Amino acid sequence: MKPHLLLVEEPGPVRELQVLALESQGWQVTALADVPAALTLLHAEPVRLLVVAAGLLAAGAVGGEALRRALDVAGTVLQVMAFPAEQDALRGLGLSQGEFLPRPLTLGGLVEHARRALPAEVDAALAERRPTVLVADDDPVSRKLLQLHLVPLRFDVVLAADGRTALELARRRGPDVVLADALMPKVDGFQLCLALRQDPRLSRVPVILTHTVAPDELDLRMAHNVGANGFMRRSQDGDELVGAVLRELRAGAPAAAPPPVELGTEEHLYRMVRQLERRVGLLEQAERATRESEARFRLVVNGSYDGIWDWDLRQRTFYWSPRLLEMLGLGPGGFPGTYEAFIERLHPEDRTEVMAALSAHLERGVPYDVSFRLRHANGGYRSCVSRGRAMHDAQGRPVRMAGIIGDVTEQLRLYRETQEAVRVRDEFLSVAAHELRTPLAALRLRVQGAQGVLRAGVHSAPERLGRALEAADRQVQRLADLVESLLDVSQLQGGKPRLHLEEVDLAAVVRNVVARSEEAAARAGCRLVMGPLVPTPGRWDVTRLSQVVAHLLSNAMKFGPGKPVEVGLEAGPDTATLVVTDHGIGIAPDRVDGLFRRFERAVPVRHYGGLGLGLYRLRRIVEAHGGEVSVHSTPGEGATFRVRLPRTGPPVPQAARA
């Protein structure tokens, strides 16, 4: 008795081929479109195997428990065709991993999985009569691929490497179906089909012609004329071709045989026509491939971020892509297209190295991977990297070389800026550690000295303790100023400093700061000289302006010890200008431009302390008030700083006015 298989799948060509494949094994197959109908059939008839599509199982109204109970009662094996995502969704029905069939699934794969699920005693259902399929193809890879498509169906596959051998095998074996390549040498598929139709014993054998490309109208017409049952394109999965074989086996009768013809002059003309058709077809394929390759190359060239070059050593031409010309600021005719023009555009210092690298690659095959500078149309140079590879003729001589040129100028600039930022950061951390360590060490010595005086119990202890505490207070104030500078700079990085604006007399601010600085000036041996300070009211932040004046005075005393520091104030109708002049070491001209940047110093850090943040903070505070700061200096004669402030305060933004 034939084993009964139940297939639940959406109606359509796919299910039709699946049914044909399963029936070709001698099994009884019933195809349904929904799971409830399948369960009804399970209760009515014995079914060995139920194969169901995952989509229908998930959409059905039958729960997992009801399905499992029906299968157990009927003794039916379940297999579910599902994609990986569908498998995860169906595990809630209690299905095990072994019950899933992968999708997409070929016809041969479906038959093999079904055979494994059936008991061993029913596996010989087709052993008595296995269809014979003759495969005729001059390409060994195509023959092997067709054989692999048919083996799971357990057909008797006979292979032939040409049409003449296939005709002899057909006369000996009497195949049930013939698959023949249409363009075999000597005797092609059309001639083989014609010869089979003229043989009384083989005239009813179905013949399916195959080719690697889809048949055109002429192919189909010729296939019809020689009596072929079909003309199909060979594909990787082979299901379409296997389905055609299954349909012919079920139909059991080929197309009507064509009338007999004499194989004389007609055969010769026929062969010539087929050869011409084949050559024309190959030429058309080559032309299409060439056009596609050229289009792909143009797309790559035009869309690449790198420039592409192509050096023809025989024609002595040197091609540069539009992108490469654009990189160098050149128009379509801006490059002469010669090797000499390329060398001439190289930086003089790079020419020898590039020429040596090209020679090493062409003569010894050394990889060509170099960096150099190319002259831009504006006269400057762009930093580039280039890679290339040569092609050789049959005698091993280089005939062509091509490659890419990439502009890395911006990347090098960013790299150098990053290196400089890292260097500045490391230097700042070193200076900051030194600046913080110095007052800490002094503070520790003062405290230890005070402790020693207390332990000794000398009669002059109060006086000595007072001096020690006074010195310790100065070091604590120095530490506080350093920490405040660091915190202030951190806040300034995020935006402008916050200002508390009020009516302030700048002259009074200057007097107060000068008074507080007298003691520090005495320690530095400096004399603070104030010019006439007329009342100069304005709308400013008194705390921030005090910081500006204090830093200018501190800076002047630091770089001009033992010399006078002059402070002046110029009051105009709309602006006020603070002027601080020292007579110290001055500032080198090349240092003036970067003086107000963060971490910048006009002198070596080993000779003068400081974090390099004071003038940066000063500039940000002045700019927040809508003012500006400038410096004029002569090395060895001192420096003059001028801070100009609008008396009405910072300008109001447009949005705030609205």
Side-chain angles (χ1 to χ4, degrees), residues 5 15 74 101 161 196 241 243 251 261 294 307 368 425 444 452 469 529 552 560 565 607:
L5 277 63
R15 190 176 78 174
L101 304 182
L196 291 174
L241 200 53
V261 297
E294 182 179 359
Y368 178 74
R425 181 205 63 185
R444 184 178 182 184
L469 290 175
V529 180
L552 288 176
V565 176
H607 296 152

Side-chain angles (χ1 to χ4, degrees), residues 470-522:
E470 184 179 350
D473 181 66
R474 287 199 300 271
Q475 300 304 326
V476 170
Q477 183 61 43
R478 184 178 175 185
L479 280 172
D481 292 341
L482 289 171
V483 173
E484 182 182 359
S485 296
L486 292 174
L487 293 175
D488 202 15
V489 168
S490 176
Q491 294 173 355
L492 292 177
Q493 281 296 102
K496 294 181 179 180
R498 293 183 178 179
L499 302 179
H500 300 283
L501 301 175
E502 55 183 326
E503 290 296 326
V504 178
D505 183 3
L506 184 56
V509 174
V510 173
R511 289 192 193 93
N512 291 335
V513 176
V514 169
R516 293 199 304 267
S517 303
E518 289 288 353
E519 183 179 351

Side-chain angles (χ1 to χ4, degrees), residues 331-630:
F335 180 65
T338 64
Y339 170 75
E340 290 75 17
F342 164 63
I343 296 298
E344 194 273 333
R345 281 216 163 258
L346 288 169
H347 193 285
E349 297 176 0
D350 301 334
R351 291 174 185 171
T352 302
E353 180 183 354
V354 173
M355 294 170 67
L358 285 169
S359 299
H361 179 74
L362 294 173
E363 296 171 5
R364 303 190 303 276
V366 178
Y368 178 74
D369 189 347
V370 294
S371 59
F372 48 75
R373 289 160 290 178
L374 283 175
R375 190 176 71 252
H376 194 272
N378 60 13
Y381 283 88
R382 306 295 293 179
S383 298
C384 302
V385 294
S386 180
R387 298 180 181 87
R389 190 169 184 178
M391 294 185 295
H392 300 76
D393 59 13
Q395 288 73 38
R397 294 172 299 192
V399 296
R400 195 170 185 176
M401 186 173 177
I404 62 171
I405 293 179
D407 187 349
V408 295
T409 305
E410 185 66 15
Q411 290 90 324
L412 284 178
R413 183 188 66 80
L414 294 175
Y415 175 71
R416 294 192 186 102
E417 288 182 357
T418 302
Q419 283 189 315
E420 178 63 17
V422 171
R423 184 196 65 77
V424 171
R425 181 205 63 185
D426 293 343
E427 181 178 306
F428 168 73
L429 291 176
S430 175
V431 171
H434 173 75
E435 288 293 318
L436 292 171
R437 190 184 299 116
T438 300
L440 281 175
L443 179 61
R444 184 178 182 184
L445 288 174
R446 295 298 182 182
V447 173
Q448 289 176 346
Q451 289 176 337
V453 169
L454 289 175
R455 284 196 295 267
V458 297
H459 66 279
S460 60
E463 181 182 352
R464 295 176 63 181
L465 283 174
R467 289 198 300 270
L469 290 175
E470 184 179 350
D473 181 66
R474 287 199 300 271
Q475 300 304 326
V476 170
Q477 183 61 43
R478 184 178 175 185
L479 280 172
D481 292 341
L482 289 171
V483 173
E484 182 182 359
S485 296
L486 292 174
L487 293 175
D488 202 15
V489 168
S490 176
Q491 294 173 355
L492 292 177
Q493 281 296 102
K496 294 181 179 180
R498 293 183 178 179
L499 302 179
H500 300 283
L501 301 175
E502 55 183 326
E503 290 296 326
V504 178
D505 183 3
L506 184 56
V509 174
V510 173
R511 289 192 193 93
N512 291 335
V513 176
V514 169
R516 293 199 304 267
S517 303
E518 289 288 353
E519 183 179 351
R523 289 196 301 269
C526 295
R527 183 168 58 90
L528 300 180
V529 180
M530 282 194 300
L533 300 179
V534 299
T536 310
R539 186 171 174 77
W540 299 306
D541 185 323
V542 63
T543 303
R544 290 294 189 179
L545 286 187
S546 298
Q547 292 174 347
V548 170
V549 178
H551 182 75
L552 288 176
L553 294 178
S554 174
N555 206 55
M557 292 184 286
K558 179 178 180 179
F559 296 106
K563 298 181 180 180
V565 176
E566 301 168 7
V567 183
L569 186 60
E570 301 172 358
D574 300 318
T575 61
T577 303
L578 172 67
V579 183
V580 177
T581 303
D582 67 72
H583 300 276
I585 61 175
I587 305 170
D590 60 335
R591 293 282 187 172
V592 172
D593 290 340
L595 190 63
F596 295 96
R597 290 200 294 262
R598 196 168 50 133
F599 306 135
E600 286 289 338
R601 297 179 179 83
V603 294
V605 66
R606 63 179 179 273
H607 296 152
Y608 296 87
L611 299 175
L613 298 174
L615 291 178
Y616 168 74
R617 294 174 62 203
L618 183 149
R619 176 179 65 84
R620 295 300 302 275
I621 293 173
V622 172
E623 289 177 348
H625 281 85
E628 59 184 15
V629 57
S630 61

